[in-house]
Amino acid sequence: MSEFTSSAEAFRIARERASVAAAFEANTLHMAVFDAREAGMSVREAAVALSVPKSTVARHWREGHQCTQPVPIWGSASAWREAHAVVWAHNPRELADDWVPYEWHDEADRRTVKRRHRGVAVLCRDEAATTDARDEGGELI
């Protein structure tokens, strides 16, 4: 293998991992700030614990905050699963969920990255629609 071919392959692998790592970092930062808020920590305590600026924590702290998530353009499903295994190795519950939230499609001259959905929620605004409470025998309560 020529030196260029070897270094070009190393660059592709590094770019793929960096792309996935940036997406994981953004997702887990948002999750950590949410968990810190739920645990009753202050913005300052969370910033110190996460080693990030207070302004970063404050931005994520707001209720309903939705930041633009980096899209792992150069990623792949295998790189996502590998990163997931490394990032969540300490937490068996999170580690068990190896769902990949993106699909990568390569075409002749372009790459498409599509966000996958976990499912669809159907909400009904009809006030007449209610759920019936039934006992173990199936009788209405």
Side-chain angles (χ1 to χ4, degrees):
M1 185 178 272
S2 74
E3 290 299 316
F4 172 72
T5 306
S6 177
S7 59
E9 181 62 21
F11 170 73
R12 282 189 206 73
I13 293 169
R15 180 174 61 179
E16 177 182 66
R17 288 185 176 181
S19 181
V20 169
F24 258 100
E25 181 181 19
N27 290 339
T28 54
L29 172 64
H30 190 73
M31 184 185 297
V33 170
F34 177 82
D35 290 343
R37 190 178 74 195
E38 292 293 308
M41 294 174 72
S42 69
V43 170
R44 181 175 302 217
E45 290 170 330
V48 169
L50 295 171
S51 301
V52 296
K54 239 174 46 172
S55 60
T56 300
V57 173
R59 187 172 55 251
H60 288 269
W61 198 269
R62 292 188 295 268
E63 188 71 40
H65 168 74
Q66 290 293 327
C67 55
T68 304
Q69 297 291 328
V71 176
I73 294 172
W74 301 110
S76 67
S78 61
W80 189 272
R81 284 189 183 97
E82 181 182 319
H84 178 83
V86 170
V87 168
W88 291 112
H90 67 280
N91 186 332
R93 187 180 60 117
E94 290 289 344
L95 186 60
D97 182 15
D98 67 347
W99 181 73
V100 178
Y102 296 97
E103 292 176 6
W104 293 267
H105 301 285
D106 290 320
E107 296 170 11
D109 61 340
R110 66 189 226 192
R111 176 171 246 213
T112 305
V113 181
K114 181 180 175 185
R115 179 87 177 178
R116 294 173 60 208
H117 300 284
R118 282 203 180 249
V120 176
V122 179
L123 303 175
C124 180
R125 295 187 66 173
D126 184 9
E127 292 167 12
T130 61
T131 55
D132 296 329
R134 298 182 182 268
D135 64 9
E136 292 179 13
E139 298 295 320
L140 285 174
I141 299 176

